[in-house]
Amino acid sequence: MSMSALGEPCVLLKLGEIVLKGKNRDLFERRLVDNIREAVKELGLKLDVRKRHGVIAIFLPEGATAEQSETVARRVADVPGLVWIHPAWRVAKDPDAVLKASVELVSEREEVKRGATFAVRSRRRDKRFPLRSNELDRLVGGAINDAYGLPVRLKNPELTVFIEVDRDEVFVFTDGIPGQGGLPVGSSGRALVLMSGGIDSPVAAYRMMRRGLHVDFLHFSGIPFTTSESIYKAYALVRKLDRFQSRSRLWVVPFGKAQQSIRTSGQDRLAVIAQRRLMLKTAEEVAHRIHAAALITGDALGQVSSQTLTNITAQDHAVELPILRPLVGWDKTEIMAEARRIGTLEISELPDEDCCSLLAPKRAETRAKIEDLKQIEKRMDAEELVVQLADSIQEYKL
Ligand code: ATP
Ligand code: MG
């Protein structure tokens, strides 16, 4: 046993939008706990993830260090559904134990040396605790002031000691990592992302995971007329995104020959949008096979000629499944900032030979007519082609 008054290291998690849920809240919380357990598996620690009243706590095995609880905190910070992640100390439910732990916790802080201002903020989720929050604040604040002579400042203190009284224990902590927000992955169902090697689609995937969708990834490669580089990029992107949801799958469609038949059967100016419709139809077929209820793309209104309102409408008409476009109202600079934040930008910016470059007409149609597109699709027997393409998909295991 250590002589420390700090108790045991643990991680305290604050829930996001889930707290607004009524009757279903329990379902969401259980999903979130499952997702957290899945995410921390890779750390190889024996962790105990438990629901508390309105929060989740992760307890580390006996003898665990503060560094280990920080490692756990950093990993769960990528799990959607959480707003704050606090590496904390679990202390006995007794005012004296809380006081001693708080004083010791502060002793390790660099703020002590420079005489920084501080505050104590307590809250009781269990009202049976003998002291009220403001009494606990005063008790612990007084002790810290006695021990180190730090001045109390309630407004904008440089150091805050948080004390949270729960049913079975008290949590004491000073820091936190902001979480991803959003809803637990899986709580909204399953969807299929059309994943290029570009900047936009990985961000679109992330935004929809954050709204509770578990996603599969579908990539169209120009093979056999392009190299496999775009597949490697898609693969690297999916690996990067997997830390937000776990169990990701990448499906790849060899699309080169289909593109060739588009080129021989249509007007040049409609080729890009005809190709996009063929991708969507194929994605819909794949979605049915893997039980995904929606498609997701990285389209942003007006960003390129295939994303004008008319052309987006022509794409919606190609399929019956809803097409979710979380980036529709985003500027490119906003998308890039988000890609940088989630770590996909540097992969997306690697050079590759995108399959779309095989069909780059000099002037692309910005107002494609659905009737013209249907003509092209009839000529190349799109219905049959879609089944063939869906049959030819390959799964790339992570
Ligand atoms: P991105 O950066 O996601 O590639 P973009 O700005 O390059 O997008 P487009 O190339 O017009 O825009 O593609 C629009 C959307 O179509 C993409 O966000 C993606 O969802 C889908 N898409 C495009 N190319 C492919 C591909 N090769 N495989 C799968 N989906 C694709
Ligand atoms: Mg692209």
Side-chain angles (χ1 to χ4, degrees), residues 22 32 48 55 91 96 104 122 139 145 173 182 189 225 265 293 314 334 337-338 340 347-348 374 380:
L32 182 54
D48 184 8
V55 296
V91 180
D96 194 49
E104 181 161 340
S122 310
L139 176 75
N145 180 262
F173 56 92
F225 303 113
S265 69
E334 293 167 333
E338 183 75 337
R340 192 172 293 118
I347 302 170
S348 297
K374 283 190 171 161
M380 62 182 187

Side-chain angles (χ1 to χ4, degrees), residues 63-346:
T65 62
E67 286 74 44
Q68 283 174 320
S69 67
E70 263 157 45
T71 304
V72 174
R74 272 195 301 276
R75 180 63 193 88
V76 292
D78 287 332
V79 177
L82 299 169
V83 285
W84 280 104
I85 294 94
H86 303 286
W89 295 92
R90 177 199 207 180
V91 180
K93 238 177 125 176
D94 153 50
D96 194 49
V98 173
L99 182 152
K100 288 196 173 118
S102 305
V103 170
E104 181 161 340
L105 183 59
V106 170
S107 76
E108 297 168 358
R109 304 286 311 209
E110 53 84 29
E111 284 89 347
V112 171
K113 283 185 219 115
R114 54 186 175 85
T117 58
F118 84 102
V120 179
R121 299 216 197 292
S122 310
R123 66 192 279 197
R124 289 189 306 173
R125 281 189 285 275
D126 180 356
K127 306 287 182 209
R128 293 169 310 175
F129 194 70
L131 298 183
R132 276 190 303 211
S133 307
N134 57 350
E135 293 169 332
L136 196 54
D137 285 349
R138 242 175 287 135
L139 176 75
V140 174
I144 291 173
N145 180 262
D146 285 349
Y148 311 109
L150 301 186
V152 173
R153 188 161 87 200
L154 297 181
K155 222 175 144 196
N156 295 325
E158 289 163 277
L159 173 66
T160 306
V161 177
F162 296 93
I163 298 170
E164 301 198 355
V165 179
D166 236 311
R167 198 192 60 206
D168 298 324
E169 65 256 306
V170 178
F171 298 101
V172 182
F173 56 92
T174 50
D175 293 306
I177 313 172
Q180 303 296 324
L183 296 170
V185 169
S187 62
S188 300
R190 302 168 58 86
L192 180 63
V193 180
L194 282 85
M195 181 82 167
S196 68
I199 293 169
D200 306 333
S201 39
V203 175
Y206 165 77
R207 299 299 297 195
M208 294 322 296
M209 287 177 192
R210 253 186 45 158
R211 294 310 300 164
L213 285 173
H214 189 277
V215 303
D216 273 45
F217 298 88
L218 183 64
H219 175 70
F220 293 86
S221 117
I223 273 184
F225 303 113
T226 60
T227 60
S228 311
E229 268 161 27
S230 77
I231 301 176
Y232 300 143
K233 274 179 80 177
Y235 183 86
L237 288 165
V238 171
R239 279 194 68 148
K240 200 77 183 170
L241 292 167
D242 187 60
R243 69 188 202 284
F244 299 113
Q245 68 163 15
S246 304
R247 290 190 280 261
S248 304
R249 292 188 297 185
L250 170 64
W251 306 93
V252 176
V253 181
F255 200 53
K257 290 197 181 124
Q259 289 179 299
Q260 215 169 30
S261 65
I262 291 173
R263 210 175 315 150
T264 53
S265 69
Q267 304 133 318
D268 206 28
R269 293 184 61 181
L270 285 176
V272 171
I273 199 76
Q275 150 170 299
R276 197 52 33 89
R277 275 171 61 104
L278 191 59
M279 282 184 182
L280 288 164
K281 285 173 186 284
T282 306
E284 184 173 48
E285 175 64 26
V286 173
H288 288 319
R289 295 183 187 188
I290 63 169
H291 307 293
L295 305 177
I296 298 168
T297 72
D299 294 316
L301 186 62
Q303 194 195 79
V304 290
S305 65
S306 58
Q307 296 167 9
T308 62
L309 195 51
T310 315
N311 287 350
I312 281 182
T313 308
Q315 294 174 48
D316 280 334
H317 277 264
V319 291
E320 273 167 25
L321 282 182
I323 303 173
L324 305 179
R325 298 182 176 91
L327 308 183
V328 74
W330 289 38
D331 286 2
K332 194 74 189 186
T333 50
E334 293 167 333
I335 299 172
M336 287 178 75
E338 183 75 337
R340 192 172 293 118
R341 190 181 72 79
I342 63 173
T344 55
L345 185 66
E346 56 178 24

